[in-house]
Amino acid sequence: MRVLLGVILCTMVLLLPLRSCAAAMRPDLTITTIKQDPYTMSKGSQMEGYCMDLLSELAKKLDFKYNVHLVKDGSYGRQDETGAWNGMIGEVVRKEADLAIAPLTLTAAREKVVGMTKPFMQTGISILLRKDISEEAGIFDFLTPFSVETWVGILAAYLGTAVSICVVARLSPCEWSQPQTEENSFTFSHSLWYTAGALTLQGAGPHPKALSGRIICCTWWLFGLVLLACYFSNLSTSQGSDSNQLMVKGFEDLANQQGIEYGTLSGSSTLAFFKNSNNPTYRRIYEHMERAKSFVSSMDEGVRRAKEGNFAFIGESVSLDLVAARHCELVRVHEVIGMRGYSIAGTLGSPMLKNLSVAILELSEAGELAYLRSKWWASSCMADAAKASPFQPHSLKGMFLVLALGLGLGVLLAVLELTTKSRSNAREQRKSYCTVLSDELSQRLRTTATNQKRSQETTDKDKA
């Protein structure tokens, strides 16, 4: 037993130096970065942000220590006329830093002088501008809550209801009891007027007396009430949307207008994209910026000019999303072009880059990168109401169905009322039921000329 304890103690004594050596062999990397919200920010003597959290996760996975410093000249890195690189890329090239972790765009020029990992974030090029730079209201914008098909359906429902009221008022004995001597008040023109008044909640008398006519009117009132509620709800929502009424919805709109100035960050990869593009629209944008000298020296300057108005700032979509989340008066347009990625830069040929790329992919698959994005891009603005799409006929198909059933039931009741009265008159007059019904129909469905003649006779009697 004593021999066994002695062996264990000797083994532990031998392993302690090995552990110390392993700890001492952990690489101590020099990391260069640039201060940019929310990637890297100062918090007292420490740094925090998306890139710092990402660096911490990578260090845990690959077991390395690191020291972080801010790039001396405050630049990302671009090549001058002599071929020398400045910024973070320059520090990595000169081996003043082992890695550069920042929103560094993966480009062919940078890939030639430094090694780049797999992208840890995808971005593109978009436009930032004020929300109140919007289109003037159109003359017929009040029609936008409903689609064209829905308006056609509403017109058809309106005409169908007016015709049904007119027909029911003629057929129903409860509505028109003496067609030989009385004038029918529900002419087609009055039915149109009555239906329009009911739709606008104004009312127009006289109202139907028969049950069949009242059923049709009540169904139309319900239809009109729901229709107006949907209309005003969608109208207020569509008028309250900002990002979908922007005068500039994309780069084509930006190139074709003259009222808004636009520019991008001087010496940035975004500027290089437009400069090297063969797309006619993008070339026009670059030539305009070069002619107007509308470049900005920093991201903060671009944001400030956009907030002042009448200026559209072109930049990385991810960075613009953050700006829009922090400055509620600004909005990023939906169009994104030139998709590219943000990568970590390292010394050309460094074996560390392969391990970093694998670790980045593992973090992405585990959802860690998405979590970091949601953590640092949290918006301080109230969410805008989504743009309301025009109501389609299928959205109101329930109300159209109820209206159709109401019209059908009203007409059916009017026919039943007429047949019941005709059957009763046939028994009293000892005539054929078909004959009495045919006479009733001929009297009720006669042309308006007879009514006009009767009306003229009544007027002459009144004058006499």
Side-chain angles (χ1 to χ4, degrees):
M1 187 68 178
R2 290 179 180 177
V3 175
L4 180 60
L5 289 173
V7 171
I8 293 174
L9 288 173
C10 291
T11 304
M12 291 178 64
V13 170
L14 290 172
L15 287 175
L16 283 174
L18 291 175
R19 290 182 178 178
S20 300
C21 290
M25 291 176 63
R26 289 173 61 190
D28 195 349
L29 302 179
T30 301
I31 310 294
T32 180
T33 187
I34 190 169
K35 189 181 290 187
Q36 181 178 333
D37 186 14
Y39 300 97
T40 304
M41 301 172 290
S42 296
K43 186 180 181 182
S45 59
Q46 303 295 321
M47 294 184 186
E48 65 174 6
Y50 179 93
C51 287
M52 295 300 101
D53 286 353
L54 174 61
L55 183 59
S56 177
E57 293 295 330
L58 294 174
K60 291 177 184 177
K61 278 188 168 293
L62 301 180
D63 193 27
F64 62 83
K65 296 186 295 181
Y66 57 89
N67 295 312
V68 181
H69 70 267
L70 294 175
V71 61
K72 298 180 181 65
D73 59 5
S75 299
Y76 286 90
R78 69 174 184 266
Q79 197 173 21
D80 60 19
E81 294 79 4
T82 64
W85 285 81
N86 67 355
M88 291 180 287
I89 298 297
E91 290 191 2
V92 174
V93 170
R94 295 188 298 270
K95 298 187 178 179
E96 298 172 7
D98 298 303
L99 296 175
I101 181 166
L104 273 172
T105 307
L106 178 62
T107 63
R110 289 171 177 171
E111 189 82 26
K112 292 177 181 178
V113 294
V114 295
M116 305 287 282
T117 65
K118 296 290 185 183
F120 59 82
M121 184 181 291
Q122 293 293 332
T123 184
I125 300 173
S126 193
I127 306 168
L128 182 79
L129 68 168
R130 283 181 63 97
K131 288 181 178 179
D132 56 7
I133 302 178
S134 58
E135 294 177 334
E136 295 182 0
I139 299 176
F140 298 103
D141 277 0
F142 66 92
L143 298 175
T144 56
F146 293 146
S147 65
V148 175
E149 294 81 2
T150 305
W151 284 115
V152 172
I154 293 171
L155 179 61
Y158 166 71
L159 295 175
T161 303
V163 170
S164 299
I165 292 176
C166 181
V167 170
V168 165
R170 285 180 172 275
L171 291 181
S172 175
C174 301
E175 186 67 44
W176 195 19
S177 58
Q178 299 296 328
Q180 299 90 348
T181 58
E182 293 181 0
E183 182 180 357
N184 193 318
S185 58
F186 275 95
T187 61
F188 182 65
S189 59
H190 179 74
S191 298
L192 289 173
W193 173 249
Y194 182 88
T195 306
L199 181 62
T200 55
L201 305 181
Q202 298 302 309
H207 298 289
K209 296 178 291 184
L211 177 62
S212 54
R214 290 180 176 181
I215 288 177
I216 292 177
C217 290
C218 288
T219 307
W220 178 248
W221 292 343
L222 178 62
F223 178 84
L225 189 64
V226 174
L227 191 69
L228 290 176
C230 293
Y231 175 82
F232 287 114
S233 172
N234 215 33
L235 180 66
S236 62
T237 303
S238 61
Q239 293 299 317
S241 178
D242 293 314
S243 60
N244 290 279
Q245 293 187 11
L246 292 173
M247 185 186 302
V248 177
K249 296 184 175 68
F251 290 92
E252 188 73 33
D253 295 334
L254 190 66
N256 291 335
Q257 58 82 43
Q258 301 294 330
I260 302 175
E261 191 60 78
Y262 51 90
T264 188
L265 192 62
S266 176
S268 63
S269 59
T270 300
L271 178 60
F273 171 84
F274 287 99
K275 182 178 180 180
N276 300 325
S277 176
N278 292 323
N279 186 299
T281 300
Y282 304 157
R283 289 295 304 174
R284 283 163 54 201
I285 291 176
Y286 170 74
E287 290 168 1
H288 174 85
M289 292 189 295
E290 187 69 38
R291 184 171 55 254
K293 300 298 179 185
S294 54
F295 306 118
V296 296
S297 58
S298 66
M299 183 82 174
D300 291 338
E301 182 186 350
V303 173
R304 177 183 58 78
R305 292 188 62 181
K307 290 173 68 176
E308 291 173 355
N310 206 38
F311 182 80
F313 178 56
I314 303 173
E316 303 281 358
S317 61
V318 172
S319 301
L320 300 186
D321 285 336
L322 177 70
V323 173
R326 303 289 172 83
H327 303 276
C328 302
E329 69 271 32
L330 299 178
V331 63
R332 179 181 70 79
V333 302
H334 295 300
E335 184 180 7
V336 179
I337 62 172
M339 295 301 295
R340 76 278 299 275
Y342 289 154
S343 299
I344 299 173
T347 307
L348 196 62
S350 171
M352 188 72 177
L353 295 174
K354 176 68 175 179
N355 296 332
L356 286 171
S357 293
V358 173
I360 288 171
L361 291 175
E362 290 175 350
L363 289 174
S364 177
E365 292 168 359
E368 289 295 328
L369 298 185
Y371 165 73
L372 293 179
R373 171 69 185 270
S374 62
K375 173 184 176 181
W376 292 105
W377 268 258
S379 176
S380 60
C381 305
M382 296 293 291
D384 289 334
K387 173 72 173 179
S389 58
F391 271 99
Q392 301 294 330
H394 61 79
S395 302
L396 296 171
K397 61 182 178 182
M399 285 312 305
F400 280 105
L401 178 61
V402 169
L403 179 63
L405 292 175
L407 298 182
L409 179 61
V411 173
L412 180 61
L413 280 176
V415 171
L416 289 176
E417 291 170 356
L418 179 62
T419 56
T420 301
K421 181 184 179 182
S422 298
R423 193 178 298 277
S424 176
N425 289 342
R427 285 196 298 266
E428 292 176 1
Q429 299 174 11
R430 298 182 181 278
K431 292 183 179 180
S432 168
Y433 164 71
C434 293
T435 302
V436 175
L437 180 61
S438 177
D439 292 341
E440 283 283 346
L441 286 174
S442 63
Q443 291 175 356
R444 293 176 179 277
L445 299 181
R446 66 180 60 179
T447 60
T448 57
T450 305
N451 289 335
Q452 292 175 354
K453 182 178 179 181
R454 185 184 296 118
S455 178
Q456 183 64 36
E457 291 175 354
T458 304
T459 302
D460 294 341
K461 289 179 181 179
D462 291 341
K463 290 181 178 178

